Structure formats: C-alpha cells, structure tokens
Amino acid sequence: MPLSSDPQDKARSDLLVMFGSSGDLAKKKLFPAIYRLECRGRLGVPVIGVARNDWTDADLHEHCRASIAECGEDWDQDAFERLISRMTYVCGDYNDPTTFEKLRTAAGAAQHPIFHFAIPPSMFATVADGIARAGLASGARLIIEKPFGRDLDSAVELNTTLHEKFPESAIFRIDHFVGKEALRSLLVTRFANAIVEPLWTRNFVSSVKITMAESFGVEDRGNFYDSVGAMRDVVQNHLLQMVALLGMEQPVNEHSKALRDEKAKVLEACRVVEPSNYVRGQYDGYLDVAGVAPDSDTETYAAFRLDIDSPRWSGVPFFLRAGKALAETVTEMTIEFKSPPRPLWLGDHSHLPNNSIRIEAKPENFAAITWLHKEPGETMMPDAITLAPPPDERLDTGPEPYELLIEEAMKGDPTLFAREDSVLESWRIVERILTDHEPVERYTQGSWGPAGASRLTRTHGRWPSEPPAPAGDGR
Ligand code: NDP
C-alpha cells in the first residue's frame, strides 16, 4: 500500500525508459526491481534501455537475466519472458540528438513515458534537454538519481534547467532510503502510538542520534567516491531525510503535499552546521584504493551536530554520523530521553541509562524501547531492559525500495520523493562545511571512526553501539 495518494487522478506511466541500462545501478538494483514488479503484475509496460554499448535487444535481455540472477531472486520464467518480450534497446550517445530521435521511434504511441536517469549526474541536463527536443516531454515523468547537485548553487541550477522543460510535478528525485520499510514505519511508530507522540518533544527528549555505518570500504569505487565523500554521498541526502521524518509534525492530511510540507519545514528550521560542530575522518588504507588521489583529503566518515530552531526541537541536538570501514554495518536512529528525578531510594543512579527508543533500519527493521525495571529480589535497584519485537518479526518482507519507488513514480505519487525545497534546504544546511572544515582525522578500519566524533557528543553521552570510553581517557 502506498503511504498516500493525492485526490486528483493521475495517469499511470505507459512506458519505462532506463537511461544508463548498462551501468552499475541498473545491474544491481533496477533490473531486479522491475522484474519483481513484473512478478507481482505491477509493471506491464514496455521497457526501453538506452546506453552507448553496441548491444542488440537480445544482449539487453541477457544482461537483464544476469542482473536478476546475481541478486539471488526466486526465478519465475513466465514473468521473465513477459518482461523481456516488451524490452528493447536503443544504442546511442546522450550528446547525440539522433539517440533521442531513435528513442522517439521506439517509444511509439506512449503518452506518459517515465524516464529513469541512472546516469552520471553530469548528464542529467543533457538528457532532459534531449528528451524535450525529441518531443517526448509532454505527459512525461523523470526519475532523477542522487546526487542532485554538488552544492546549493549547482542544485539550484539543475532545478532551473529541469524546470525549463518539466514541471516540478513531473520530477521524482529518488532517495531510496525514503522507500525503506523502516522509514515508512517510522511514521506509524510516531503518529499511531498515543504514548509516543506526546513525548517526542524538547520537553522530554535530550538528544537524537542517527548512524549510518558500513563495515566495508569504498571497494572498487575509489574514483567515484574520491570526488564525492561521505557528506555528499549519504549525509546531505539520506541522513537529512531521516532528520525530516524524525522531526516533522503530523501532516494535516494523508496527501503527499501535506507530508512533504512538514518535512520541508523541519529542514527549513535547521541551522547551518558550524565547522566547529563537524568532524571528518578517513580510514587507514583509503589512500591505497585504486582511483583515490595519493594526497586525498576526502572524508570516508562525517559526523556533526545539527540544531533545529522549531518549537518542538529547540535546544535538542541531533547528532548525525556516517562512515565506511567501521565496526559494523548498521543504520539506526536513537531518541534519548531526559533523566528522571533521582528515585528516592537510590543514592547514585548515574550508571543507569536513560529511556530511549531505538529504530533500526538495517540490518533489521524494528523499533525497541529501553526501559528501567526493578531487579528481582529484595533490592530496589533498577535495571535496564530493552523491549523489542522477536527476531522473526524484524524482517523486512515488503517491496525493495527501488521496486516500491519505481512503482510510485509510475503512478505519479510523489510522496516518497524529495521535493525541490527539501533538497535545496538540505544543501543549505551543509553548505558551509562542504568547504570550511578541518583536514580529515585518520581512523583504524573496524573502529567507530575518529576520536573527535566522540568529543562531539560529550555533553550528551556516547554514540549508540559504541563501547564506553576506557576509564581515564578524558572523553
Ligand atoms: P555507471 O557509470 O555504472 O553507469 C552509467 C550509465 O550511463 C552507463 O549505462 C553508461 O553507458 C551510461 N552513459 C554515461 N554517459 C553516457 C553517454 N554520454 N551516452 C550514453 N550513455 C552514457 O553509473 P552508476 O550506475 O553507478 O550510477 C548511475 C547514477 O545512479 C548516478 O547518478 C549515481 O550517483 C546513481 N546511484 C548509483 C548507485 C550505485 O550503487 N551504483 C547508488 C545510488 C545512486 P555506457 O556503459 O555505454 O558507458
């Protein structure tokens, strides 16, 4: 079920065009996603792949088959044959207008094509222009991959260029994190639980901590990663989208505009991050990765404190961190509550944790609450327990994010896509620290990142998952 749909009727897309069909994203995510849609009877439209390789339709079909097989999908031969029976290939360079002439012929009588831009961001404007010049813009939709710009100015410029040919309602900026089950269920956790929502404010919350940690490095993507870094790769987009969902007010209705309005307001209320609140790290060994500059200062770890000047969050720090080659792979959001007054029967209760709600998005999908209860026996000493769903209820059995998001875009429902204002606000928040920052601090692979990140949270405890600091290290 989609989160919502707007009241007006929207025509479903009747053709899917995959620019970048020979690329990494198409192979890893997009072919498996459209196959799953076909298996569920949710695709049912022609698919055209467009790239430079001198491929035939049969080559594209084989590439599609291999992509699906490599993802370990259950094999449904009927669904696969249905999919490739409607799949064709257009070979051409995006800089060449004849590519789009060929595409127009291949598109036939499609009235509402959807164009997925799984291509280098430097080609977004060129391809949008080619589509429009070929007369294919009317009734069309665009799915635009991240990153949307490199900074505020380039994002504004890209928006302006796209809007010359396409209205905002035709532009679907994808952030696959927003399609994750955990982020969609966050709204239910927040707004469907009468005991949660009233506490989700500055009156009770002491801090919010968000982590996106990966236990692996940049692997064979050194060339790409070195020009991007953690801040542009995942923080400006994925982590700030999480902030928006964690921090927003309840939308006034279930339509996409209301939800996207509330998300945008949270980002609008965020202060620009100060360089003194920003820590950058780089794992040992990164400089030896193929494609990385020998003197690279690109961050493979980024952490900062974010302050939100809204009535709900004023004075509550949000701590965000993301990094590669860390101790484990985990994406989580932790809401830490303030300390209660000292229980009368306890002299020292400083060792007890505060209440917290932890939402794990990866590797599992669940929300847990940490709670104090009395230890059994004569003692009145409290002990912390964590209330969480059993392991078999933590699985993510819903559609994969790309599967869901492609379907939502084809229906014309923008709820789960980033709107222009949110993207620009996100760049505004990090704009200063993109250039005004300290050099990277080195950290050991398999650790929790540079020591500076622990200092960042010093007044608000430690990061979740991080072991307590050794006694006497001054943190
Ligand atoms: P790749 O470099 O692997 O693929 C790029 C694709 O674009 C290829 O199909 C390539 O065709 C095609 N292409 C590039 N230039 C031209 C041109 N001038 N004319 C015709 N075709 C061209 O990139 P990715 O798949 O990794 O990334 C694509 C987009 O998705 C990027 O915006 C990226 O940031 C985003 N993304 C990628 C993720 C990933 O895991 N890979 C994750 C999230 C987002 P050819 O093979 O002929 O060169």
Side-chain angles (χ1 to χ4, degrees), residues 20-26 28 50-53 92-95 117-121 123-124 145-147 221 224 402:
S21 50
S22 58
D24 185 61
L25 181 69
K28 287 196 309 213
V50 193
R52 266 181 307 213
N53 285 358
D93 194 300
Y94 305 147
N95 294 302
F117 285 25
I119 55 176
M123 297 303 302
F124 289 166
E145 278 299 331
K146 65 149 197 167
R221 302 185 80 209
F224 157 79
Y402 270 103

Side-chain angles (χ1 to χ4, degrees), residues 147 150 221-230 232-233 286 291-293 296 298-299:
R150 271 190 66 76
R221 302 185 80 209
N223 195 27
F224 157 79
Y225 196 88
D226 205 38
S227 65
V228 176
R232 289 185 170 94
D233 191 33
Y286 173 74
V292 170
S296 173
T298 297
E299 76 285 351

Side-chain angles (χ1 to χ4, degrees), residues 138-161:
S138 172
R141 299 185 176 114
L142 310 180
I143 302 178
I144 307 284
E145 278 299 331
K146 65 149 197 167
F148 196 91
R150 271 190 66 76
D151 52 24
L152 184 56
D153 284 350
S154 57
V156 168
E157 190 182 327
L158 178 56
N159 264 330
T160 306
T161 305

Side-chain angles (χ1 to χ4, degrees), residues 18-92:
M18 290 168 62
F19 288 101
S21 50
S22 58
D24 185 61
L25 181 69
K27 185 173 181 202
K28 287 196 309 213
K29 298 287 181 193
L30 306 188
F31 285 116
I34 63 171
Y35 165 74
R36 280 192 295 267
L37 283 173
E38 185 65 35
C39 288
R40 293 197 290 123
R42 301 288 184 90
L43 189 66
V45 299
V47 177
I48 302 176
V50 193
R52 266 181 307 213
N53 285 358
D54 188 17
W55 280 355
T56 61
D57 290 352
D59 292 328
L60 181 65
H61 299 168
E62 173 51 26
H63 185 73
C64 173
R65 190 201 59 73
S67 304
I68 298 164
E70 274 177 38
C71 280
E73 294 292 327
D74 290 342
W75 194 253
D76 178 340
Q77 184 66 19
D78 288 347
F80 178 68
E81 283 177 10
R82 279 199 312 273
L83 176 61
I84 62 168
S85 71
R86 302 190 310 268
M87 186 182 284
T88 52
Y89 184 66
V90 169
C91 166

Side-chain angles (χ1 to χ4, degrees), residues 81-393:
E81 283 177 10
R82 279 199 312 273
L83 176 61
I84 62 168
S85 71
R86 302 190 310 268
M87 186 182 284
T88 52
Y89 184 66
V90 169
C91 166
D93 194 300
Y94 305 147
N95 294 302
D96 178 358
T98 61
T99 303
F100 297 91
E101 300 299 326
K102 286 193 274 181
L103 177 59
R104 188 177 57 200
T105 305
Q111 297 292 303
H112 298 288
I114 187 159
F115 299 98
H116 195 142
F117 285 25
I119 55 176
S122 58
M123 297 303 302
F124 289 166
T126 307
V127 172
D129 187 56
I131 291 168
R133 284 177 188 276
L136 288 166
S138 172
R141 299 185 176 114
L142 310 180
I143 302 178
I144 307 284
E145 278 299 331
K146 65 149 197 167
F148 196 91
R150 271 190 66 76
D151 52 24
L152 184 56
D153 284 350
S154 57
V156 168
E157 190 182 327
L158 178 56
N159 264 330
T160 306
T161 305
L162 294 178
H163 285 157
E164 284 168 8
K165 310 285 182 342
F166 298 88
E168 176 65 17
S169 60
I171 300 172
F172 292 75
R173 297 173 194 80
I174 205 161
D175 184 326
H176 76 276
F177 253 61
V178 182
K180 281 181 179 282
E181 182 69 17
L183 267 73
R184 292 186 299 129
S185 56
L186 174 59
L187 299 184
V188 175
T189 302
R190 282 200 55 193
F191 299 120
N193 288 302
I195 61 165
V196 171
E197 183 52 14
L199 303 180
W200 206 268
T201 75
R202 65 189 301 275
N203 297 331
F204 299 98
V205 174
S206 97
S207 73
V208 177
K209 291 172 181 153
I210 302 177
T211 296
M212 180 185 170
E214 292 170 322
S215 60
F216 45 88
V218 300
E219 298 176 324
D220 59 355
R221 302 185 80 209
N223 195 27
F224 157 79
Y225 196 88
D226 205 38
S227 65
V228 176
M231 178 61 74
R232 289 185 170 94
D233 191 33
V234 296
V235 178
Q236 177 272 340
N237 35 57
H238 302 332
L239 268 62
L240 287 178
Q241 285 291 315
M242 287 196 243
V243 168
L245 288 166
L246 280 167
M248 73 179 198
E249 301 300 317
Q250 179 157 1
V252 293
N253 59 43
E254 72 274 23
H255 300 143
S256 64
K257 178 180 179 302
L259 181 125
R260 300 205 302 169
D261 284 349
E262 295 306 335
K263 284 173 64 182
K265 280 188 220 164
V266 177
L267 296 172
E268 203 177 340
C270 290
R271 286 188 212 159
V272 170
V273 179
E274 297 288 328
S276 57
N277 282 330
Y278 178 36
V279 174
R280 303 167 72 238
Q282 187 185 85
Y283 64 81
D284 289 333
Y286 173 74
L287 296 179
D288 302 329
V289 174
V292 170
D295 57 349
S296 173
D297 186 53
T298 297
E299 76 285 351
T300 60
Y301 179 102
F304 60 76
R305 172 186 167 133
L306 181 65
D307 290 279
I308 306 179
D309 288 324
S310 70
R312 184 183 283 267
W313 294 117
S314 179
V316 179
F318 280 55
F319 297 102
L320 281 60
R321 65 174 174 170
K324 288 193 173 289
L326 297 179
E328 55 182 281
T329 295
V330 62
T331 301
E332 66 185 5
M333 299 159 264
T334 302
I335 292 78
E336 292 181 354
F337 291 89
K338 293 181 176 172
S339 309
R342 180 178 71 80
L344 288 178
W345 55 89
L346 266 190
D348 176 15
H349 68 307
S350 60
H351 62 291
L352 292 170
N354 290 342
N355 291 136
S356 63
I357 294 177
R358 176 176 175 271
I359 297 158
E360 181 172 303
K362 190 175 177 181
E364 295 182 309
N365 167 34
F366 65 97
I369 182 162
T370 297
W371 181 270
L372 297 185
H373 74 154
K374 190 185 92 56
E375 276 183 11
E378 289 178 8
T379 174
M380 283 301 286
M381 185 63 78
D383 192 15
I385 53 167
T386 297
L387 309 176
D392 62 345
E393 288 178 24

